[in-house]
Amino acid sequence: MFEAIDRLFLDIDNINRESMGEIQDAQLEEMAVNLWNWAVTKREDFLITMDDKAKLRHVACRLMAMCEGSTASEEALRRHILMNMKTGKGWVDVGNPVLADQYFQVTMAALEQLYNNILQHSSTEAHLTAQKNSVEKHVFKVLSYQAESAVAQDDFQRASACVLRCKDMLMRFPTMVRYLHILCYNFGVETYLQNKLEECVFWLSQSYEVGKTDDNSVEPEMLAKALRLLATAYLDWDDRQYYDKALNAINLENKECVNPAGLLLKTKIILTGETVNEEILDAVMGMLCLDMPLDFYLNIVKLLMDHERDSIGFYFLDIVCERFKSSENIGKALLFHIIMLFQRKEVLLAKGKIEEIITGHQAGIQLTIQALGCLHDILWERAAKSFEAQNFADALTWYYYSLRVYECDQSGMNLAKLKRNIVSCHLHLKQVDKAREILAEVAQHDPANAFTQFYAFKIAILDGNSDRALQAIALLDDVLASEDPEKNELHPDRSSSVMLLSLAAKFAHEIFHGTSLPSDAMINEAHWFRKIAWNLAVQCTKDLVRMRELFMLSYKISQFCPSDEAVLVSQKTCLLVASSLDLQQGRRASTPFEQTILLSRALEQIHKCREIWNILKESGNYANDSCETLLLLYEFEVKVKQHDPLLDSFLEPVWEQPDIDSNTLETIASLAMETPAYYPSIALKALKMALLLHKKEESFDVFKYCKCMHTLIILLVPDGIPLADLCPLDEIFSYFEDALSIVNQNVGYPQLEILMLMIKAWNAGIYMYGNGMLVTAEKWCGLALCFLGRLSQYLKENYETQMTILYSQLLGALGQNRSLFP
């Protein structure tokens, strides 16, 4: 059938009236009308795509034009106008604006003819006015369609001329204000994405002006949205030359609808100019009277800091902290303050702020568990950096801050680990007595830990007490041998000797870490220990936490080896697997805080892995290595679950990759909707691209296509109600059409998937029927009946009778007044 439509479309331009001499005009007209009705009416046994519908309308119009009396009567002229106008719009919708323009020109000429006829034959003034309004409304529509066509052809002058003519007509057609406002806004978005900022500014200005012509047609939120993008476009265009225009636009936006996004943008605009500190302070202080959440004000502070207005930023932050001092989220502001001080190397001030927090915590001003966790992370990160720089005294300072926080609430799974870190620092400073004292406390609570016994062993060696050193190793061996296998931290079927190898690898890393220039012998040892850690990691298939630790241990030890290709490949794999395991654990995290820690750790490993991967790519052939794809998917998962504001920028080069495959796109779509992420627009774009790739495959795989289509339909019609806010209703319908086309061409399309498509389409039609949208309901229900016809007899019997009865009722409700051209 599709081939027949294509042949008809290609042949029609080669057919003239003379070649059809034996056919009467009435017969030719009937053929055109029947073809038109067939194209726009949904049949139970066949469904055509939008592209095929446009082709059939094209043929119908060409046939009608061959009739000598096609515009003889007013009725025929109106039909001629409607057919050409709808055919032109159809060509615009399927991406053929050049052909569409031909139909719009014909439509305009016919409308002019109709207008002249009305002037000559109208019987009364009222009749004349009504008929003129009808014609002019059609002119308005055609002009808007011509604007769409012109934008598609990158003809800004023609598009703007059409829209300005529409704008002039709005006084007579106030109901079209919202339509024209949205049209201009969409043009603005499209040109902004194409970086045509001058055109974008024009369209968004028109969108706002049109919306303001009738306050009842466009919501303030929609006007504000247009103004925000207008202000952004001015900034991107030239933030110096168009500073005043950007500021004026955002001021208008805030008058229309006060919201955090607009206020943040206003602050950003002010900061891009040469505004003095006093004016900026007045502006941000004025925002304090608004009932905004804490995060909003912290974002304002961050903007100030990013634009090097530190004095205002810290002053404003102090006021914000005072305002929210009774809030349970005050810890977030205090920690933010500390981070800002560290970023500006104000270490003494940061220490003072930490002292304030600890003093307040000791006095009963409790921080949330999440805030406490973040504080420990900050302190441990500072300590770790100092330790790596071999500034062990400074590391102790930060660790003791953390210890004071733990002592306030006497809780925390990491307390023993913290004290072991303190022991390590004291040992590096040769403060053996202090290390022994702290270790004694650790041994009371966590004697079975490998590092606890390691430090006991190390102190015994420093004391020259070989008996105590052997006792530490023997004690470890006894603990591992007697421990319940189910509670063992390692794989339960591992022997104690294998566990001791793991311990030895950890000891080795500790020893290597304290060596500035490893000898050849030590390098050989490092190679041996990194391989031991790798092999142990591979064996820990039932303990993913330990597997990750051992892979990272292998990576860390390998850093003491020369960076040849084999070592780099090993490091790449260790980091890749560790990132994967952190993401896997993050999906099962019991708290948001735990998930944040795991995701952040994974992201750090991903970045390290990408650095190694880039080196490897330059030095060898890794065309078949999946590392690039895995890094992309892993980083995307972190960003969507952390709601990264720069997610769109991250994805821009991804969408443009010429060699991206459908599996990667479908995985992106899945991750975009995996809790806590919720990015349906990203999922939609990825699935649309994946579907296109499936259809372009030389060997079409119906099952892969069907799986991708299933995901897309579930996204767009989750509960039987099409998500028109996410995707236009006509476009959603076209996906069902596309699926039916594939079903018709592939007998192996899974029956349960056809059933799912039928039920989704039917429920959508019933929903629209219940909301009085009878014509649209009939379209969707008719579509569902097409899927019904492709079900096996067994499945069909369960639905056919009830659906047929309800469909008949729906057709009856449409009545006898259904238009010839729906």
Side-chain angles (χ1 to χ4, degrees):
M1 182 59 71
F2 295 105
E3 293 179 359
I5 294 174
D6 285 337
R7 283 200 305 271
L8 192 59
F9 171 69
L10 293 172
D11 291 343
I12 189 63
D13 288 333
N14 298 321
I15 299 174
N16 54 39
R17 189 65 182 91
E18 288 73 20
S19 63
M20 306 177 71
E22 296 182 0
I23 301 177
Q24 300 297 317
D25 277 357
Q27 294 175 298
L28 195 58
E29 183 176 328
E30 184 179 1
M31 288 170 56
V33 170
N34 288 338
L35 183 60
W36 179 278
N37 287 342
W38 191 90
V40 299
T41 304
K42 303 300 173 286
R43 298 168 58 87
E44 294 182 16
D45 58 343
F46 189 70
L47 191 65
I48 59 175
T49 65
M50 293 177 64
D51 190 62
D52 287 328
K53 187 185 298 182
K55 291 176 181 177
L56 289 172
R57 283 176 162 173
H58 173 87
V59 173
C61 279
R62 289 288 194 265
L63 291 174
M64 188 65 77
M66 294 180 192
C67 302
E68 294 181 0
S70 61
T71 59
S73 65
E74 182 175 324
E75 179 184 357
L77 185 56
R78 289 183 182 277
R79 180 173 57 197
H80 177 72
I81 291 168
L82 186 58
M83 289 177 70
N84 279 276
M85 182 169 66
K86 287 197 171 186
T87 302
K89 183 62 166 72
W91 281 125
V92 170
D93 292 341
V94 299
N96 194 337
V98 175
L99 191 53
D101 284 342
Q102 298 177 19
Y103 283 95
F104 295 144
Q105 290 171 9
V106 172
T107 305
M108 281 298 201
L111 284 168
E112 184 177 356
Q113 181 182 344
L114 178 59
Y115 190 83
N116 292 330
N117 291 350
I118 291 170
L119 291 177
Q120 295 174 11
H121 300 104
S122 291
S123 56
T124 66
E125 187 66 27
H127 179 266
L128 175 62
T129 301
Q131 293 300 309
K132 284 171 62 178
N133 284 341
S134 174
V135 172
E136 289 175 357
K137 195 165 187 177
H138 277 95
V139 170
F140 183 99
K141 276 287 191 181
V142 176
L143 285 169
S144 70
Y145 296 159
Q146 287 179 314
E148 288 187 63
S149 175
V151 169
Q153 297 175 72
D154 199 20
D155 188 345
F156 172 71
Q157 294 301 326
R158 185 158 61 92
S160 58
C162 291
V163 166
L164 291 175
R165 286 188 61 189
C166 289
K167 185 179 176 183
D168 291 339
M169 300 170 70
L170 284 178
M171 292 296 292
R172 298 193 296 280
F173 306 110
T175 58
M176 302 303 291
V177 167
R178 182 184 178 85
Y179 168 82
L180 190 59
H181 161 77
I182 293 174
L183 184 70
C184 290
Y185 177 77
N186 289 340
F187 289 164
V189 171
E190 185 175 341
T191 48
Y192 180 81
L193 294 175
Q194 296 171 350
N195 203 34
K196 299 175 182 177
L197 298 177
E198 186 174 1
E199 295 179 19
C200 171
V201 164
F202 172 82
W203 292 123
L204 294 172
S205 299
Q206 293 303 312
S207 178
Y208 173 68
E209 290 178 12
V210 167
K212 289 298 288 182
T213 60
D214 185 2
D215 294 336
N216 297 322
S217 296
V218 181
E219 299 86 346
E221 292 80 7
M222 293 179 65
L223 292 173
K225 191 176 180 181
L227 287 166
R228 279 198 301 276
L229 185 54
L230 175 60
T232 303
Y234 275 129
L235 278 186
D236 293 349
W237 190 2
D238 189 326
D239 58 1
R240 292 185 177 276
Q241 183 176 350
Y242 298 109
Y243 170 82
D244 291 336
K245 291 182 180 294
L247 186 60
N248 180 59
I250 204 62
N251 284 334
L252 288 174
E253 186 269 352
N254 286 321
K255 289 180 181 178
E256 292 291 343
C257 179
V258 176
N259 64 77
L263 293 172
L264 285 170
L265 182 55
K266 179 177 180 178
T267 306
K268 180 180 178 181
I269 292 170
I270 293 174
L271 289 169
T272 59
E274 298 178 355
T275 314
V276 297
N277 284 352
E278 289 75 10
E279 293 181 18
I280 295 174
L281 183 60
D282 287 343
V284 297
M285 291 296 290
M287 296 177 190
L288 287 172
C289 64
L290 304 173
D291 187 20
M292 293 293 177
L294 173 61
D295 285 347
F296 166 77
Y297 293 111
L298 295 183
N299 284 330
I300 292 291
V301 174
K302 190 173 186 309
L303 272 176
L304 293 169
M305 299 295 194
D306 290 344
H307 287 80
E308 300 180 355
R309 303 294 182 117
D310 293 9
S311 60
I312 305 176
F314 283 118
Y315 177 75
F316 187 66
L317 182 55
D318 286 335
I319 295 174
V320 169
C321 289
E322 179 64 25
R323 175 171 179 168
F324 287 89
K325 64 181 179 181
S326 300
S327 168
E328 64 176 9
N329 292 320
I330 183 59
K332 182 184 293 186
L334 297 174
L335 295 178
F336 179 79
H337 199 156
I338 292 171
I339 292 170
M340 290 295 104
L341 289 169
F342 277 137
Q343 287 181 355
R344 280 144 188 82
K345 303 188 185 306
E346 298 286 354
V347 178
L348 289 177
L349 292 177
K351 287 181 177 179
K353 186 60 64 175
I354 292 168
E355 289 283 359
E356 285 182 31
I357 292 176
I358 295 174
T359 302
H361 197 61
Q362 292 171 337
I365 305 175
Q366 299 290 317
L367 299 182
T368 64
I369 294 176
Q370 184 174 1
L372 283 174
C374 291
L375 176 58
H376 284 302
D377 289 342
I378 292 170
L379 296 172
W380 284 35
E381 183 181 351
R382 296 292 302 185
K385 288 181 179 178
S386 295
F387 191 97
E388 290 175 5
Q390 299 189 6
N391 188 347
F392 304 112
D394 191 59
L396 274 176
T397 300
W398 303 113
Y399 280 136
Y400 273 114
Y401 276 137
S402 182
L403 184 60
R404 286 171 62 189
V405 176
Y406 271 120
E407 289 172 347
C408 292
D409 52 21
Q410 297 296 317
S411 65
M413 295 296 292
N414 289 325
L415 181 57
K417 182 177 179 180
L418 169 62
K419 289 186 176 181
R420 281 193 293 271
N421 289 343
I422 292 174
V423 169
S424 179
C425 290
H426 281 306
L427 287 175
H428 278 92
L429 292 169
K430 312 300 183 184
Q431 299 169 348
V432 181
D433 290 341
K434 290 184 178 180
R436 186 185 298 108
E437 179 185 346
I438 299 296
L439 186 63
E441 298 174 7
V442 178
Q444 293 179 1
H445 302 288
D446 195 11
N449 182 273
F451 283 104
T452 301
Q453 296 308 319
F454 167 67
Y455 289 127
F457 169 82
K458 196 170 184 179
I459 290 173
I461 294 297
L462 291 173
D463 288 342
N465 190 337
S466 58
D467 291 338
R468 180 68 188 88
L470 291 173
Q471 183 183 359
I473 295 297
L475 178 60
L476 176 63
D477 193 20
D478 291 341
V479 169
L480 293 173
S482 62
E483 190 175 281
D484 183 353
E486 293 297 325
K487 297 179 181 178
N488 200 324
E489 291 184 359
L490 282 172
H491 196 301
D493 65 356
R494 297 284 154 251
S495 66
S496 60
S497 60
V498 173
M499 296 179 189
L500 285 172
L501 283 174
S502 173
L503 175 63
K506 292 182 179 178
F507 288 176
H509 177 251
E510 184 74 20
I511 294 168
F512 295 150
H513 198 280
T515 305
S516 56
L517 293 172
S519 64
D520 290 342
M522 192 164 268
I523 289 173
N524 291 333
E525 292 295 319
H527 274 301
W528 189 82
F529 277 115
R530 76 173 177 84
K531 292 175 182 177
I532 286 291
W534 175 289
N535 291 333
L536 290 174
V538 172
Q539 296 174 33
C540 293
T541 54
K542 295 184 179 179
D543 188 340
L544 301 184
V545 174
R546 179 51 57 93
M547 177 185 283
R548 186 256 172 206
E549 290 177 355
L550 288 168
F551 270 121
M552 286 304 296
L553 181 60
S554 178
Y555 163 73
K556 290 175 182 177
I557 295 176
S558 72
Q559 291 179 303
F560 298 97
C561 304
S563 297
D564 58 25
E565 185 174 4
V567 169
L568 289 174
V569 170
S570 173
Q571 290 178 344
K572 178 207 74 172
T573 306
C574 287
L575 290 167
L576 205 59
V577 175
S579 301
S580 173
L581 293 172
D582 277 335
L583 291 174
Q584 192 171 339
Q585 293 294 108
R587 296 180 199 120
R588 300 197 294 256
S590 57
T591 65
F593 174 69
E594 181 185 357
Q595 185 180 63
T596 299
I597 294 298
L598 290 164
L599 293 176
S600 299
R601 190 167 70 182
L603 186 61
E604 182 179 350
Q605 291 156 187
I606 290 165
H607 290 162
K608 290 178 180 177
C609 186
R610 181 168 280 114
E611 292 175 5
I612 296 170
W613 172 240
N614 289 336
I615 296 172
L616 284 170
K617 284 192 298 182
E618 293 177 359
S619 60
N621 182 15
Y622 293 89
N624 296 323
D625 197 308
S626 60
C627 181
E628 189 80 43
T629 299
L630 291 174
L631 288 174
L632 163 65
L633 294 175
Y634 290 170
E635 185 166 4
F636 176 71
E637 179 172 354
V638 174
K639 287 181 177 296
V640 293
K641 288 181 178 176
Q642 290 187 334
H643 304 290
D644 192 324
L646 300 178
L647 185 59
D648 288 336
S649 299
F650 171 77
L651 284 173
E652 282 180 9
V654 176
W655 302 135
E656 296 173 2
Q657 286 183 14
D659 56 346
I660 193 167
D661 61 83
S662 56
N663 287 335
T664 302
L665 290 166
E666 290 180 57
T667 304
I668 288 174
S670 175
L671 293 172
M673 298 299 290
E674 187 176 279
T675 305
Y678 183 74
Y679 291 88
S681 60
I682 291 176
L684 175 60
K685 184 167 185 175
L687 290 171
K688 287 165 65 174
M689 291 177 65
L691 273 179
L692 187 61
L693 290 177
H694 282 306
K695 294 171 72 175
K696 287 181 177 179
E697 289 288 344
E698 291 184 8
S699 178
F700 180 73
D701 190 323
V702 67
F703 296 103
K704 289 183 179 179
Y705 171 88
C706 146
K707 177 175 174 285
C708 185
M709 178 59 76
H710 178 101
T711 307
L712 178 63
I713 295 303
I714 294 299
L715 173 69
L716 295 176
V717 194
D719 300 311
I721 303 174
L723 299 182
D725 291 342
L726 175 60
C727 183
L729 199 58
D730 286 345
E731 185 176 333
I732 297 175
F733 190 82
S734 72
Y735 295 129
F736 280 89
E737 291 181 315
D738 190 62
L740 182 60
S741 171
I742 298 299
V743 170
N744 288 333
Q745 298 173 46
N746 293 271
V747 293
Y749 205 99
Q751 285 284 298
L752 290 179
E753 290 300 314
I754 299 175
L755 179 63
M756 182 276 294
L757 291 165
M758 181 198 77
I759 292 173
K760 288 289 186 183
W762 182 262
N763 288 343
I766 295 303
Y767 167 76
M768 293 167 190
Y769 178 61
N771 284 274
M773 303 163 64
L774 299 184
V775 174
T776 307
E778 186 274 332
K779 178 174 73 170
W780 281 87
C781 288
L783 172 67
L785 290 173
C786 293
F787 285 112
L788 176 67
R790 293 294 176 266
L791 290 176
S792 66
Q793 190 60 34
Y794 171 75
L795 289 174
K796 188 186 297 184
E797 288 174 354
N798 295 319
Y799 299 93
E800 187 170 24
T801 302
Q802 185 179 5
M803 288 176 67
T804 303
I805 293 173
L806 288 173
Y807 188 64
S808 298
Q809 294 175 358
L810 173 58
L811 292 177
L814 284 171
Q816 301 301 318
N817 296 325
R818 189 172 184 178
S819 171
L820 179 62
F821 307 109

